[in-house]
Amino acid sequence: MVEKNQKIRDQMSKLDLDGLLISDPYNIYYLSGFQGLAPEERESWILITKDENYFFTDGRYVNQVKSEKLKVKSLQTKLVTPEKTIQMHVQMIAKKEKLEKIGFESGNLTYSEYERFKELVNLVPTDRLIVNIRKYKNQDEIDKIKQACQIGDDVLKDAALIIKPGLTEKNIAQKIIQLIEFHNAEAAFYPIVTSDSGSASPHYNTKQSSRKIQKNSVVLIDFGVKYQNYCSDITRIFFIGKQKDEIITVYQQLLEIQKSTINRLIVLSEAKMIDKFCRESLEKNGLPNFPHSTGHGIGLQVHEYPKISSSSCDTLSKNQVFTIEPGIYFPEKYGLRIEDTILMKENQLQEVLTKFPKEIHLI
């Protein structure tokens, strides 16, 4: 925690800030280990100043916080009440420590919340200050993501045994959730299980589907595991029965492109160049472009930084974890996507953490 705090204070110094008010629940967990039950209710806040760390919560959690060992050993817990609001607490600390400029998370604090604060203290917007620090994982975070990936591999191995004609996509998704929970983990998001023309939609909503698997279906499964709050993400394709040669050929082309994109990480560190390489590889093979990023960071959230897209400013480096997931989509026909979770190591070397086989799966 000391290292994280120092990184934050270094950024505060660069931005000429006297304090940083943290409202994003993921960032609060990252810094304190605290999790409430309803983050949308603003159950907690953190204020970091040049010398102190303050944690704010209400009566529902104050005893819990005091009894638990949070990550911030020097955390000062403050009770938020109707008579002493978070705004009042921050105002009092600002006066005591002479905080002239307090940064806030512009991507999280609502406008109405900002309006209430600005009457009492001088708030300055910051953009992804902690999120950018979260791009770099420590060994504990990496170990948890690796375990999430291992569970995902085991779950997919078992789920593959039940895929058959007549089952609904939703049946398979629910089975995946059950298998994840059997491993004392939880689904990072509701699994995407889609087939045939539905697989041509990158973010298909399986919850609303009643579609059944057919004799010659193309089945796309995209899901993630959350283990001790850290996520994995994987996508694999399963072919039911005999497929047209065209589909098998396209899949083999996509697989080679996905593998070559991963291998390209050794020589390309700019995320946007990885994205460009992947898309140009599709074009060279006469295949259509895809309407999503080539990859995304993963950690406490399924989608975080770095972003691997044409507009990304991120550089890929050691201890970042992200996905590589090119897709090929033919509207009203079928779609294919292959996704792995990747760990960047020293000297631009990479480790594929999701190890479920990618060769053609015929059922």
Side-chain angles (χ1 to χ4, degrees):
M1 183 57 228
V2 173
E3 182 182 354
K4 293 176 183 176
N5 264 8
Q6 188 55 54
K7 288 179 180 178
I8 291 170
R9 289 193 168 101
D10 288 345
Q11 292 301 310
M12 286 167 52
S13 179
K14 289 179 183 178
L15 296 171
D16 193 28
L17 297 175
D18 302 308
L20 178 66
L21 181 65
I22 300 159
S23 55
D24 185 312
Y26 290 101
N27 290 339
I28 289 170
Y29 175 80
Y30 179 71
L31 294 172
S32 71
F34 172 80
Q35 274 187 310
L37 290 176
E40 68 280 359
E41 295 182 8
R42 293 295 192 209
E43 299 162 311
S44 60
W45 306 73
I46 287 178
L47 176 64
I48 294 178
T49 68
K50 292 178 180 179
D51 301 309
E52 300 292 344
N53 305 308
Y54 298 95
F55 180 88
F56 308 90
T57 190
D58 59 41
R60 294 172 295 175
Y61 296 105
V62 69
N63 290 330
Q64 171 189 329
V65 168
K66 287 180 178 178
S67 66
E68 290 181 354
K69 290 183 179 178
L70 298 186
K71 294 177 184 176
V72 186
K73 291 183 180 178
S74 58
L75 202 67
Q76 296 188 46
T77 301
K78 303 286 185 180
L79 179 63
V80 175
T81 66
E83 295 75 32
K84 196 166 186 180
T85 65
I86 179 62
Q87 291 83 9
M88 293 175 183
H89 275 292
V90 173
Q91 182 189 36
M92 290 180 63
I93 293 168
K95 285 182 179 178
K96 176 185 174 185
E97 296 193 30
K98 298 179 181 173
L99 310 179
E100 295 183 5
K101 293 168 64 178
I102 300 175
F104 72 95
E105 297 183 298
S106 61
N108 184 266
L109 198 73
T110 67
Y111 181 74
S112 62
E113 288 170 332
Y114 169 77
E115 287 286 298
R116 290 195 291 274
F117 273 107
K118 78 171 188 177
E119 295 174 358
L120 303 176
V121 293
N122 180 29
L123 288 187
V124 178
T126 66
D127 183 33
R128 303 197 300 264
L129 192 154
I130 296 176
V131 168
N132 282 328
I133 294 172
R134 280 171 44 197
K135 286 191 296 190
Y136 302 94
K137 272 57 178 181
N138 61 33
Q139 192 57 52
D140 180 61
E141 292 175 298
I142 290 170
D143 289 344
K144 288 173 181 175
I145 294 171
K146 283 185 174 182
Q147 184 61 28
C149 291
Q150 177 63 63
I151 292 171
D153 290 340
D154 292 341
V155 165
L156 200 48
K157 187 187 303 181
D158 290 337
L161 299 175
I162 68 160
I163 301 172
K164 61 182 179 180
L167 273 182
T168 66
E169 296 166 341
K170 193 184 294 185
N171 289 154
I172 298 169
Q174 290 169 342
K175 183 62 177 179
I176 287 171
I177 293 171
Q178 291 172 3
L179 289 167
I180 292 171
E181 291 175 348
F182 176 79
H183 288 273
N184 296 316
E186 60 183 297
F189 55 93
Y190 193 88
I192 298 172
V193 179
T194 177
S195 58
D196 306 323
S197 61
S199 61
S201 175
H203 274 190
Y204 182 86
N205 191 337
T206 304
K207 277 186 177 181
Q208 297 179 354
S209 169
S210 58
R211 188 195 302 262
K212 291 184 178 181
I213 306 301
Q214 305 300 317
K215 281 197 301 183
N216 301 108
S217 284
V218 175
V219 180
L220 182 154
I221 297 180
D222 180 347
F223 74 101
V225 172
K226 182 180 285 189
Y227 174 77
Q228 294 185 11
N229 292 298
Y230 282 85
C231 301
S232 68
D233 203 356
I234 184 172
T235 304
R236 292 293 188 266
I237 301 294
F238 297 87
F239 299 103
I240 312 300
K242 185 172 175 57
Q243 299 293 321
K244 295 178 182 177
D245 291 343
E246 169 213 335
I247 297 176
I248 298 300
T249 298
V250 170
Y251 179 81
Q252 290 171 330
Q253 289 175 307
L254 176 63
L255 179 55
E256 287 309 308
I257 290 168
Q258 197 249 7
K259 287 180 177 179
S260 63
T261 301
I262 293 172
N263 291 334
R264 203 68 177 173
L265 293 165
I266 297 173
V267 294
L268 293 177
S269 60
E270 289 185 73
K272 67 181 178 182
M273 296 307 294
I274 291 294
D275 181 84
K276 182 181 180 183
F277 172 83
C278 187
R279 295 179 195 279
E280 287 180 349
S281 298
L282 286 170
E283 185 179 357
K284 287 176 185 176
N285 282 272
L287 297 169
N289 205 340
F290 48 88
H292 52 77
S293 65
T294 296
H296 55 82
I298 194 160
L300 289 173
Q301 294 171 275
V302 176
H303 290 145
E304 51 183 58
Y305 288 83
K307 300 289 186 185
I308 303 174
S309 68
S310 59
S311 61
S312 177
C313 296
D314 290 317
T315 299
L316 305 176
S317 57
K318 181 183 175 183
N319 290 347
Q320 292 181 351
V321 183
F322 50 83
T323 66
I324 295 291
E325 51 175 302
I328 299 171
Y329 307 99
F330 298 99
E332 305 302 321
K333 291 184 178 180
Y334 65 93
L336 305 171
R337 183 168 64 253
I338 305 171
E339 176 183 25
D340 282 307
T341 298
I342 313 292
L343 166 66
M344 283 296 287
K345 304 173 84 171
E346 282 198 89
N347 302 317
Q348 291 300 111
L349 296 175
Q350 74 282 336
E351 179 183 352
V352 178
L353 303 182
T354 39
K355 303 185 187 301
F356 189 87
K358 293 183 280 192
E359 70 262 13
I360 292 170
H361 299 285
L362 294 172
I363 295 176

